[in-house]
Amino acid sequence: MSETVSADTSAVQVAFAGNAPLRDAVQQLVRETPLVDTHEHFWEESLRVRSVREGDRSLPAPDFGMLLSHYTDSDLQVAGMPAEEYKQLLLWDVPPDRKWELAAPWYERCRHTGYQQCVRETLRALFDIDDLTGDTFKTISEQVAAHTMPGFYERVLRGVANIEYAQVNCIQSPLFRETEQPGLLAVDLSINPLCVPPNLGILSDMFGEKVTTLKAAHHAIDACFAKYGPRAIAVKSQCAYWRDLEFPQVTEDEAAPLFARLAKGQPLEDGEHYAVQGHLFHYCVDRASEYGLPIKLHTGYYAGHNGMPLGRVRNNAGDLCPTFQAHPDAKFSLFHIAYPYQDEAIALAKHYTNVYVDMCWAWIINPAASVRFLKEFLMAAPACKLFTFGGDYLPVELTVGHAVIARRGITQAVTELVEERWLEEEDVPALVERIMRGNALENFDLDRVQRNS
């Protein structure tokens, strides 16, 4: 694994020696410490550049509407913006002035949320513009297009956001996407098509012939991990969007006849589908452990709007306990602090040696709750069990604003813990280093990924 490398904290050490107020010292430390970004969905930079240069309309138009294309879209529509009007914000043949006319009244109604604050922090950091207004939307649109050129991902992530590297879960590719920038981006292997539910076409492609038996499915999964495992930074599953997270432990003998029926196109009962998925999920976890890959699991809040089954979300933490117990050598990273059930996530990280929690996305879902979570996590669970940042965005620009909000929240949480005398000042530099980058460097083997890329 990569070794933790201490950031240059000399200026901060002076501040902590008594030459600056506490909050200023913490703020400076947090600002200067690089973040390791453990979760993104970025398009490849070349696709963004080609979209501008060649008018590739597979992406949103390169204007201010792109900055409203991920997560902000949910707040706008929950605030009342009609879906058909929202869709126009992404189109190439709708001029920016019409887009602003459509967006303005709804943006005003939700401008206080974390999603919208993220947009404004992005504008300030990248374009030196304080807000999206009737006076600025044209300039913003010009800037979004103008800065999209080769090398802008590194400039945005490292130069502006002070992000060491980012881990990407590509939602456009079913399993794994090679990245053109392995020094800046590391990629997850998605296990969903292998198990929850199994995609027979993808399994057959990996196996080299049609998969008709469970044994062949095992071989296909083995081939997938052999091909992508050495180059993947982790494995990822967001199956919580379509099913619960209870994975029954089913033996090969029990699952084999069910899989054979599935492969023949014969109907299975719900419990039989779950048996096949449970068997294959546990098989994938075993392979991930064999390759030293942490298992990232979506828990908690749903993206989008008008579709979240909160009762199922509430049970995410409890549903996973048997899986944690069944795989003591695996590392599980629970995404998004399981919001709004973050207390359960803290309890799991405190109790299980193989459970970690990731604050990706959480800072902009609810900044205030994320500050409370960070304070409470550090009071309850070992600090080595936490990853504090993942932008979780498709447009790279918005990760900049998200990092600003995360740094503000980390500063507030750590400062308050010292002021409330739960944390000693002298412990702050090492703690900040650990939660912002050290834990990620210890648990994700970037060196291996780069050697094999």
Side-chain angles (χ1 to χ4, degrees):
M1 297 292 180
S2 301
E3 296 182 357
T4 302
V5 180
S6 297
D8 180 7
T9 59
S10 57
V12 177
Q13 289 169 345
V14 170
F16 270 88
N19 296 328
L22 172 64
R23 185 172 292 268
D24 291 348
V26 176
Q27 183 179 50
Q28 182 178 347
L29 172 60
V30 172
R31 183 176 61 247
E32 294 180 357
T33 301
L35 284 162
V36 171
D37 180 341
T38 49
H39 184 53
E40 297 291 353
H41 294 296
F42 298 150
W43 299 294
E44 277 291 303
E45 180 186 276
S46 60
L47 180 60
R48 285 287 309 273
V49 173
R50 185 168 67 251
S51 177
V52 171
R53 291 182 173 179
E54 302 175 12
D56 182 345
R57 299 192 175 198
S58 64
L59 299 186
D63 57 31
F64 83 87
M66 177 171 282
L67 303 182
L68 305 180
S69 69
H70 200 177
Y71 298 132
T72 53
D73 62 314
S74 299
D75 279 352
L76 291 170
Q77 292 177 82
V78 170
M81 187 176 191
E84 291 306 312
E85 290 188 4
Y86 170 73
K87 291 175 183 177
Q88 294 187 53
L89 302 185
L90 310 182
L91 299 179
W92 287 67
D93 54 0
V94 178
D97 55 351
R98 174 56 179 161
K99 293 183 179 183
W100 176 244
E101 180 183 341
L102 293 171
W106 309 110
Y107 176 73
E108 181 60 31
R109 283 168 168 80
C110 56
R111 59 178 287 107
H112 58 282
T113 69
Y115 292 166
Q116 312 302 337
Q117 290 190 42
C118 184
V119 172
R120 292 195 291 281
E121 294 297 351
T122 293
L123 296 177
R124 294 183 184 111
L126 289 181
F127 308 134
D128 197 26
I129 295 173
D130 284 335
D131 201 355
L132 175 59
T133 70
D135 294 328
T136 64
F137 74 85
K138 289 184 180 179
T139 302
I140 293 166
S141 296
E142 293 167 357
Q143 294 276 19
V144 168
H147 91 140
T148 306
M149 59 182 64
F152 86 107
Y153 270 35
E154 180 158 7
R155 177 180 64 81
V156 164
L157 293 174
R158 287 183 173 153
V160 180
N162 194 17
I163 289 173
E164 198 159 332
Y165 82 96
Q167 300 175 9
V168 179
N169 172 233
C170 178
I171 56 180
Q172 296 83 33
S173 300
L175 289 171
F176 185 83
R177 182 190 71 194
E178 306 287 350
T179 179
E180 300 159 359
Q181 301 182 78
L184 179 65
L185 307 178
V187 183
D188 295 332
L189 168 61
S190 176
I191 61 171
N192 293 329
L194 305 179
C195 55
V196 283
N199 184 309
L200 294 176
I202 290 175
L203 288 172
S204 296
D205 287 343
M206 295 305 309
F207 185 50
E209 59 184 270
K210 187 175 181 180
V211 167
T212 59
T213 67
L214 184 64
K215 184 65 69 177
H218 288 173
H219 289 317
I221 293 170
D222 293 343
C224 181
F225 274 88
K227 181 176 182 178
Y228 298 123
R231 288 174 286 160
I233 195 70
V235 302
K236 168 74 188 300
S237 174
Q238 57 267 52
C239 67
Y241 275 105
W242 57 85
R243 54 157 292 159
D244 63 43
L245 294 180
E246 185 173 3
F247 301 101
Q249 297 180 55
V250 178
T251 67
E252 184 173 350
D253 288 343
E254 294 169 327
L258 299 176
F259 186 91
R261 286 168 50 200
L262 179 70
K264 292 176 182 177
Q266 297 176 357
L268 299 182
E269 300 294 332
D270 287 346
E272 293 174 326
H273 277 292
Y274 263 52
V276 171
Q277 292 182 25
H279 174 83
L280 292 174
F281 177 83
H282 287 288
Y283 191 89
C284 287
V285 170
D286 285 338
R287 297 292 78 72
S289 299
E290 178 184 325
Y291 281 83
L293 301 174
I295 299 104
K296 300 176 174 180
L297 297 174
H298 176 100
T299 60
Y301 195 75
Y302 276 25
H305 60 287
N306 293 341
M308 180 170 60
L310 197 57
R312 191 169 74 202
V313 171
R314 184 182 298 116
N315 293 326
N316 283 171
D319 284 346
L320 282 166
C321 290
T323 294
F324 301 150
Q325 295 165 6
H327 301 277
D329 295 329
K331 290 183 179 180
F332 296 92
S333 178
L334 307 186
F335 270 23
H336 321 311
I337 69 173
Y339 179 86
Y341 303 107
Q342 55 265 39
D343 286 346
E344 283 88 340
I346 294 173
L348 291 175
K350 181 175 180 65
H351 187 83
Y352 287 95
T353 58
N354 57 348
V355 175
Y356 299 71
V357 180
D358 198 313
M359 296 189 72
C360 57
W361 191 24
W363 289 109
I364 54 171
I365 294 175
N366 188 332
S370 295
V371 170
R372 294 195 303 272
F373 167 84
L374 180 53
K375 292 177 65 177
E376 293 177 9
F377 187 100
L378 292 174
M379 292 295 93
C384 61
K385 307 295 290 299
L386 183 66
F387 311 117
T388 53
F389 183 71
D392 205 351
Y393 271 118
L394 282 161
V396 68
E397 292 90 341
L398 290 164
T399 290
V400 174
H402 196 160
V404 171
I405 291 173
R407 282 191 159 90
R408 183 182 303 154
I410 294 169
T411 297
Q412 179 180 339
V414 171
T415 300
E416 289 178 1
L417 286 174
V418 175
E419 291 173 340
E420 294 162 2
R421 306 190 69 177
W422 295 115
L423 186 65
E424 300 295 332
E425 285 190 27
E426 55 266 30
D427 293 333
V428 169
L431 177 65
V432 167
E433 164 74 10
R434 172 169 290 284
I435 64 175
M436 291 182 68
R437 64 192 291 270
N439 290 339
L441 294 176
E442 289 176 0
N443 287 283
F444 297 98
D445 196 347
L446 182 63
D447 290 341
R448 170 187 50 77
V449 171
Q450 293 180 335
R451 285 196 308 271
N452 291 298
S453 295

